[in-house]
Amino acid sequence: MSDLYLSHIRNWFWKSPPAEWLMKGAREVLIGTLQQGPIPKHVAFEMDGNRRFAKNHKIETIEGHHLGFEALARVLEICYKCGVKVVTVYAFSIENFNRPRGEVKGLMAMAKVKLEQLVQHGELLDRYGACIRVLGERDLIPDDVLPFVDRAVEMTKHNKDAVLNICFPYTSRAEMTSAIKATVDEFTSPSRPSNPPFSQSRITQKIRSKYSKGAESLDSIREASPDAGAESDLDDSMSSSTALDPESPPLQSTMARSRRLPNPENITADTINSHTYTAECPPLDIFIRTSNVTRLSDFMLWQCHENTHIFFLKCFWPEFDLWHFVPVLLEWQWRQKKLLEKDSSRK
């Protein structure tokens, strides 16, 4: 009996009404139990193994990717129901453009279909208040796919409770390169003073106020002085300078100071982090990669800091479910408890 036949039997059993009812109840109890402990705010998934799953089950590669999308829908509901605020998924690497042309074309066609499904049947995202953000090199997205990307982002931007980051097309090297370029631009551009002392509006206001206050006295002086007409041109030429506050700094030095560049010694890791794609997201708590591959493969390299817990699972991504996520979350909660005990003992 082939593995594919056994897989169909298992799927038929678990999709039968009695089994679905039992599984739903068990899921609710299990998720409620997990919510009693700390919950990660940010979880990243490297969805690996779609092609190998398809090969092992003797189905088309594109069908394996479709099953991977169904797994993503399951995972999102599990995460958001548990209380995770940000889910980041590696949907398409820039390196994937080097795959066979037919596969790339099929992936792009699937991206259009799935993004359209998220928009038309977005009850999952709306239920948990999740918005879609597409992170990556926008210039590399094909022109026929870009409208679907923009529509998915636009239609979910009103959701503010959770975030789904779709990295497409993305690599960490491209992200870090972009962040460093933005940092260089920031520190090589003159900083403008927030309240320039000699703005046009201030000069105009000063001249008008001085003129209104001294108009009558100026006329009387001119009538009394025989040289008033000769000096009138000089007075007019100096009106702008006399209208300014004499205690204000010279205009030339102020302009030079306003063109001063930011001090590069102030660049820190936080400076670069503020220019990354995930700058507005909480720190990454859990990184999960499926298919028994123990490398990050250019995904979330900057975000995987010392407090990120990395898990490499043996299952292929289309197989990933609550029963694979529960052990990960329990181990993360146990590690958090140990960290808290360690910190309290130091105090």
Side-chain angles (χ1 to χ4, degrees):
M1 192 176 292
S2 67
D3 291 340
L4 182 59
Y5 185 69
L6 289 174
S7 177
H8 284 315
I9 292 176
R10 283 196 299 267
N11 289 337
W12 173 83
F13 173 76
W14 290 118
K15 289 181 180 179
S16 63
E20 284 188 346
W21 182 81
L22 288 173
M23 289 296 295
K24 184 178 179 180
R27 284 171 180 268
E28 294 295 334
V29 172
L30 188 55
I31 290 174
T33 304
L34 292 172
Q35 288 176 330
Q36 302 308 310
I39 298 296
K41 293 182 179 179
H42 189 178
V43 179
F45 293 96
E46 188 156 358
M47 306 180 293
D48 192 20
N50 292 341
R51 293 192 298 171
R52 276 170 286 168
F53 178 86
K55 183 178 179 181
N56 291 347
H57 291 80
K58 298 179 175 61
I59 59 178
E60 293 293 331
T61 301
I62 197 66
E63 182 63 25
H65 291 301
H66 279 289
L67 294 174
F69 180 82
E70 293 180 7
L72 173 60
R74 294 195 303 267
V75 168
L76 289 178
E77 182 154 22
I78 293 168
C79 289
Y80 293 144
K81 187 173 287 188
C82 286
V84 177
K85 295 299 182 184
V86 180
V87 176
T88 302
V89 297
Y90 201 3
F92 192 87
S93 169
I94 294 175
E95 303 297 329
N96 286 349
F97 284 113
N98 297 324
R99 289 185 177 183
R101 191 172 187 179
E103 183 180 351
V104 174
K105 188 176 180 180
L107 287 172
M108 291 300 160
M110 189 183 73
K112 292 191 289 186
V113 172
K114 299 309 180 183
L115 287 169
E116 188 68 15
Q117 287 179 354
L118 284 174
V119 172
Q120 293 180 353
H121 309 286
E123 61 273 4
L124 173 63
L125 298 177
D126 288 337
R127 189 188 317 152
Y128 297 103
C131 66
I132 294 175
R133 296 178 62 223
V134 178
L135 313 181
E137 299 298 299
R138 180 182 174 88
D139 294 341
L140 298 179
I141 300 176
D143 293 339
D144 60 326
V145 179
L146 203 53
F148 293 87
V149 171
D150 292 338
R151 186 159 181 251
V153 173
E154 180 67 23
M155 294 294 288
T156 59
K157 68 178 184 180
H158 61 280
N159 294 330
K160 304 296 183 182
D161 296 332
V163 176
L164 169 59
N165 290 324
I166 302 176
C167 296
F168 171 83
Y170 169 95
T171 61
S172 283
R173 287 173 294 171
E175 178 185 20
M176 288 188 282
T177 300
S178 174
I180 292 171
K181 284 181 178 179
T183 303
V184 171
D185 289 342
E186 177 185 348
F187 280 79
T188 54
S189 301
S191 58
R192 294 183 177 181
S194 57
N195 186 20
F198 291 108
S199 63
Q200 185 64 36
S201 59
R202 183 187 172 193
I203 293 174
T204 304
Q205 183 180 5
K206 283 284 187 179
I207 292 174
R208 288 178 177 175
S209 62
K210 289 284 186 180
Y211 181 79
S212 61
K213 290 179 181 179
E216 294 181 359
S217 59
L218 184 61
D219 291 340
S220 60
I221 292 174
R222 284 177 176 172
E223 290 175 359
S225 175
D227 297 331
E231 294 179 355
S232 61
D233 293 338
L234 179 61
D235 290 341
D236 289 341
S237 65
M238 296 295 291
S239 61
S240 61
S241 61
T242 56
L244 298 176
D245 187 354
E247 296 181 359
S248 297
L251 179 61
Q252 196 169 13
S253 62
T254 304
M255 291 178 64
R257 191 158 52 245
S258 68
R259 289 195 296 266
R260 187 176 300 164
L261 298 177
N263 186 359
E265 295 295 330
N266 295 330
I267 297 177
T268 63
D270 291 335
T271 308
I272 298 176
N273 189 71
S274 66
H275 294 292
T276 60
Y277 298 150
T278 59
E280 299 177 0
C281 299
L284 183 62
D285 295 308
I286 296 177
F287 179 103
I288 297 174
R289 178 169 186 168
T290 55
S291 80
N292 201 29
V293 176
T294 55
R295 62 176 183 268
L296 302 186
S297 295
D298 218 353
F299 178 50
M300 305 291 280
L301 299 182
W302 177 266
Q303 291 81 0
C304 286
H305 51 82
E306 59 181 349
N307 295 323
T308 301
H309 300 270
I310 302 174
F311 297 88
F312 299 109
L313 306 183
K314 292 183 179 180
C315 66
F316 295 122
W317 176 250
E319 300 170 325
F320 191 86
D321 201 349
L322 175 64
W323 313 112
H324 298 95
F325 187 58
V326 166
V328 169
L329 191 53
L330 287 175
E331 184 172 348
W332 181 83
Q333 291 179 337
W334 179 80
R335 291 180 183 178
Q336 292 299 112
K337 180 181 178 182
K338 290 298 181 182
L339 285 174
L340 290 174
E341 290 177 354
K342 188 176 181 180
D343 292 340
S344 61
S345 63
R346 288 177 178 177
K347 296 177 181 179

